[in-house]
Amino acid sequence: GVMGGQATEISEKSSRVVLEAAVFNGKSIRKTSGRLNLRSESSSRFEKGINVATVNEALDAAASMIAELAGATVRKGIVSAGELDTSDVEVSSTLADVNRVLGTELSYADVEDVFRRLGFGLSGNADSFTVSVPRRRWDITIEADLFEEIARIYGYDRLPTSLPKDDGTAGELTVTQKLRRQVRTIAEGAGLTEIITYALTTPEKAVEFTAQPSNLTELMWPMTVDRSVLRQNMISGILDTVAYNVARKNKNLALYEIGKVF
């Protein structure tokens, strides 16, 4: 589901071809692709999900194209490993819940029209209805998904808007926020300029000026070794800023930084 092997690829000498139409677990494919740092059209397709109801149809279409374009002879029969559930997924809701969530006053006829346009089956009435969702829409599995589809087809621009009715609560700064503001006020009052340096640095600079260095937190796939680990001090970043400015004849510096170490 991520990348085929060299031993099974097609070449100019290939005379017999076995077609495989498979369904892979999207979560597993995404994790494997990320762990190997290997992206492919196959992994992108399977991690997002495919229509399991048309797997055999896709297999037949591929065989037909090979026969038509390459003059191949297609053998009869399909070898199947396991069974795929291709039945529609049923999701239930009520008209009252639809209008409560969307803030609308839709009728049951409006809901019927939405799902008719989507090609979904619908049974029941305003008190309780069940939607039969085709397998081609594997993203619809819960009641909230139905609300989203109704809003999308009905039109987001037609949904009523209103301001929140609940009384707001008075906000206040946390202890940390107050301390940050006090430090910033004092530092800038003394003529210092605040800087913000990278939290990512080199393995060597990460542990400089650190009394008790801990295990480094490294990125799996860093863009560059200069930004490959999280810093354990901020002094090295400030010194880099000083060196950068001094190299450009800007020597009148008074800097401070408020940040985090990891």
Side-chain angles (χ1 to χ4, degrees):
V2 178
M3 182 65 68
Q6 184 177 7
T8 58
E9 67 181 6
I10 301 297
S11 69
E12 295 179 354
K13 298 180 180 180
S14 299
S15 59
R16 295 184 179 181
V17 178
V18 176
L19 295 180
E20 178 191 33
V23 177
F24 296 97
N25 183 278
K27 293 181 180 179
S28 176
I29 294 297
R30 183 172 63 253
K31 290 180 179 179
T32 301
S33 177
R35 177 168 52 84
L36 299 177
N37 194 27
L38 181 60
R39 298 287 299 171
S40 65
E41 182 180 353
S42 176
S43 66
S44 177
R45 188 180 302 275
F46 282 116
E47 69 184 25
K48 292 180 175 66
I50 63 172
N51 183 7
V52 298
T54 58
V55 172
N56 288 337
E57 181 180 337
L59 181 64
D60 291 339
S64 176
M65 292 178 65
I66 293 175
E68 178 183 353
L69 301 176
T73 301
V74 180
R75 300 290 298 271
K76 293 182 179 180
I78 296 177
V79 177
S80 177
E83 296 292 335
L84 289 175
D85 183 8
T86 59
S87 60
D88 292 348
V89 175
E90 294 188 345
V91 184
S92 299
S93 184
T94 66
L95 183 61
D97 286 341
V98 171
N99 286 324
R100 175 181 57 81
V101 172
L102 300 183
T104 55
E105 296 182 359
L106 298 176
S107 65
Y108 185 67
D110 295 326
V111 174
E112 283 184 311
D113 180 62
V114 167
F115 291 118
R116 177 189 59 78
R117 293 163 63 183
L118 289 170
F120 295 177
L122 180 66
S123 61
N125 50 51
D127 294 330
S128 178
F129 60 83
T130 299
V131 180
S132 297
V133 183
R135 285 288 177 168
R136 58 182 170 80
R137 289 300 306 272
W138 56 88
D139 57 317
I140 301 177
T141 57
I142 60 176
E143 187 179 18
D145 296 331
L146 297 182
F147 301 155
E148 183 179 3
E149 289 302 299
I150 293 173
R152 185 174 66 86
I153 300 301
Y154 178 71
Y156 291 122
D157 58 319
R158 300 172 63 187
L159 298 179
T161 58
S162 62
L163 294 174
K165 296 181 180 179
D166 295 336
D167 295 332
T169 57
E172 63 177 344
L173 298 176
T174 64
V175 174
T176 301
Q177 290 172 328
K178 290 180 180 179
L179 180 60
R180 282 174 176 264
R181 292 198 176 191
Q182 291 173 354
V183 171
R184 187 173 286 114
T185 299
I186 295 173
E188 293 181 359
L192 277 69
T193 300
E194 183 178 10
I195 62 173
I196 301 175
T197 60
Y198 285 105
L200 293 170
T201 184
T202 65
E204 295 77 21
K205 291 181 179 179
V207 295
E208 288 179 343
F209 309 102
T210 304
Q212 295 180 339
S214 59
N215 294 331
L216 294 175
T217 303
E218 302 181 21
L219 297 184
M220 290 184 62
W221 306 107
M223 298 295 292
T224 171
V225 69
D226 293 335
R227 301 282 182 259
S228 60
V229 300
L230 290 173
R231 66 187 179 188
Q232 296 184 15
N233 74 91
M234 293 192 297
I235 298 178
S236 58
I238 295 176
L239 291 178
D240 285 342
T241 302
V242 172
Y244 180 89
N245 281 271
V246 170
R248 288 157 179 78
K249 309 301 181 182
N250 182 20
K251 300 180 180 180
N252 186 18
L253 301 172
L255 310 174
Y256 79 97
E257 180 178 11
I258 301 175
K260 294 182 179 181
V261 295
F262 305 89

